[in-house]
Amino acid sequence: MAGTHCSLIATLGVEPQVVTITLDHLLKDGEKIDEVVVIYTDTKRVLDALSVVQKEFERESFYKGIELRCVPVVSDKGIVKDFCSERDIRGLMGTLYREVRRLRKKGTVHFCISGGRKVMGIMGMVVAQLLFGPDDKVWHLITEGWQPGSERCLHLSSGERVWLVPIPVLRWSEGKILMETVSELDDPNKVAHWYEKLNRASQMKRKKEFIEHWLTQAEREVVYLVCRGLGNAAIAAELYKSEQTVANQLRSVYEKFREWLGCTEGNVDRSRLIAEFAPYFALMEEEEEDNMVTN
């Protein structure tokens, strides 16, 4: 089961800022990126761009503690310079598949498909459909006023705007139900919206299993109040318990939470518990209110 490791994989062309700006944006949004994997081809301009990325990671002021891994596209004939044959495309597919599979075993994956040849993005989407889970994301980078080949800093300055646009990934692992639904819908945006709802429902089902089957009744009450924003003292007063009892029950919850997440190590704390389960409790309360209105 995947742990807390979080990675970014990016295809690279001649513009190194695709990697750095995407990473900057994810870090700014609160993602804790542990590893960056850059997929590249063996041409001079691409290698020059790769060198720029590598030098940026060597500077202590940026990306401290983030591992950079540079992976060439390899076919059965060696490192690929450009995509000129079916063999080259198969090599690209294999390279992306191996790296995404490796990263998925470690944790969550962000995949930026904006860099390099268009075929790199196309094959990236295919691999995402094959391997991605509900928490993994594919991104397309859009920057205001950025023309291919133009001089540009590696990091956004004040006033510049950038968008990381999420690309819906329709995973092949759910192909049967997907195809049945797609056949009834004539709008791809409706398909993507339906798929997002399906993902949310799947995630909520898993969270419900943890709350109802992993926790004791006493632990459930504590977690609910934690997700409402109460501190230990307030929870103790609400439940007529001592603060030490609340602390002990939370410690037990964290141990179970870590096991549920598949974490052998890493930070599992109050903020992560709230981020994971506050939406679940909010949804449960909404459903209860709807049922009361209906009845």
Side-chain angles (χ1 to χ4, degrees):
M1 186 180 293
T4 58
H5 187 275
C6 186
S7 58
L8 166 65
I9 181 169
T11 53
L12 179 66
V14 300
E15 295 166 332
Q17 58 267 39
V18 168
V19 178
T20 54
I21 293 177
T22 298
L23 180 55
D24 289 349
H25 199 286
L26 290 172
L27 293 173
K28 182 180 178 182
D29 285 348
E31 296 290 345
K32 183 183 179 299
I33 304 297
D34 301 291
E35 180 179 358
V36 173
V37 175
V38 178
I39 306 295
Y40 68 95
T41 52
D42 187 24
T43 61
K44 183 181 184 308
R45 293 183 67 197
V46 173
L47 292 176
D48 288 344
L50 181 65
S51 177
V52 171
V53 173
Q54 290 172 318
K55 289 177 181 177
E56 202 66 9
F57 272 78
E58 291 169 1
R59 296 171 57 185
E60 287 196 5
S61 57
F62 290 104
Y63 312 140
K64 188 174 182 180
I66 300 177
E67 177 187 356
L68 174 65
R69 176 181 168 88
C70 303
V71 179
V73 177
V74 178
S75 73
D76 56 2
K77 292 293 186 179
I79 298 178
V80 172
K81 292 183 177 294
D82 203 350
F83 304 107
C84 304
S85 68
E86 184 178 346
R87 174 183 284 116
D88 297 332
I89 302 300
R90 287 201 302 267
L92 171 62
M93 179 80 166
T95 301
L96 291 171
Y97 188 93
R98 287 189 295 273
E99 283 304 309
V100 171
R101 187 168 182 266
R102 180 183 68 84
L103 294 172
R104 280 280 295 124
K105 288 181 178 180
K106 298 172 74 173
T108 304
V109 178
H110 295 273
F111 194 167
C112 178
I113 60 173
S114 299
R117 297 286 196 186
K118 289 181 180 179
V119 70
M120 298 179 83
I122 294 170
M123 290 297 105
M125 284 300 300
V126 172
V127 170
Q129 289 173 328
L130 285 169
L131 296 177
F132 266 23
D135 295 328
D136 304 311
K137 298 287 189 299
V138 174
W139 302 101
H140 177 59
L141 178 68
I142 300 175
T143 58
E144 191 173 66
W146 179 4
Q147 298 298 324
S150 64
E151 291 294 326
R152 188 175 181 85
C153 295
L154 293 173
H155 307 279
L156 292 177
S157 59
S158 178
E160 289 186 298
R161 296 199 294 172
V162 62
W163 297 268
L164 269 183
V165 180
I167 308 300
V169 178
L170 307 180
R171 301 193 304 277
W172 291 4
S173 60
E174 297 171 352
K176 184 176 185 296
I177 187 171
L178 173 63
M179 292 307 299
E180 290 174 352
T181 302
V182 168
S183 65
E184 300 297 325
L185 298 174
D186 57 4
D187 183 347
N189 291 311
K190 291 181 180 178
V191 175
H193 178 68
W194 166 83
Y195 195 70
E196 288 299 320
K197 287 178 64 178
L198 182 68
N199 278 340
R200 286 196 297 270
S202 176
Q203 292 170 9
M204 287 299 171
K205 181 179 179 181
R206 186 165 180 264
K207 291 174 183 180
K208 182 177 181 180
E209 177 196 7
F210 176 78
I211 294 295
E212 295 188 356
H213 299 291
W214 286 59
L215 304 182
T216 66
Q217 177 63 33
E219 289 169 345
R220 285 197 291 272
E221 292 172 349
V222 169
V223 171
Y224 171 71
L225 294 175
V226 166
C227 290
R228 286 180 55 191
L230 276 66
N232 284 10
I235 293 173
E238 180 82 13
L239 299 177
Y240 302 101
K241 299 178 179 181
S242 69
E243 286 190 51
Q244 185 59 53
T245 298
V246 171
N248 291 341
Q249 289 172 338
L250 268 178
R251 190 177 302 111
S252 173
V253 168
Y254 292 148
E255 290 175 359
K256 294 176 181 179
F257 187 31
R258 181 177 284 106
E259 182 181 354
W260 182 75
L261 288 170
C263 301
T264 56
E265 57 185 21
N267 190 26
V268 175
D269 56 14
R270 198 182 203 94
S271 61
R272 185 160 187 187
L273 191 69
I274 293 171
E276 192 76 39
F277 292 105
Y280 166 80
F281 285 116
L283 182 62
M284 293 301 101
E285 289 177 349
E286 287 180 11
E287 290 182 354
E288 287 181 8
E289 291 176 2
D290 290 343
N291 290 336
M292 290 176 63
V293 171
T294 302
N295 296 332

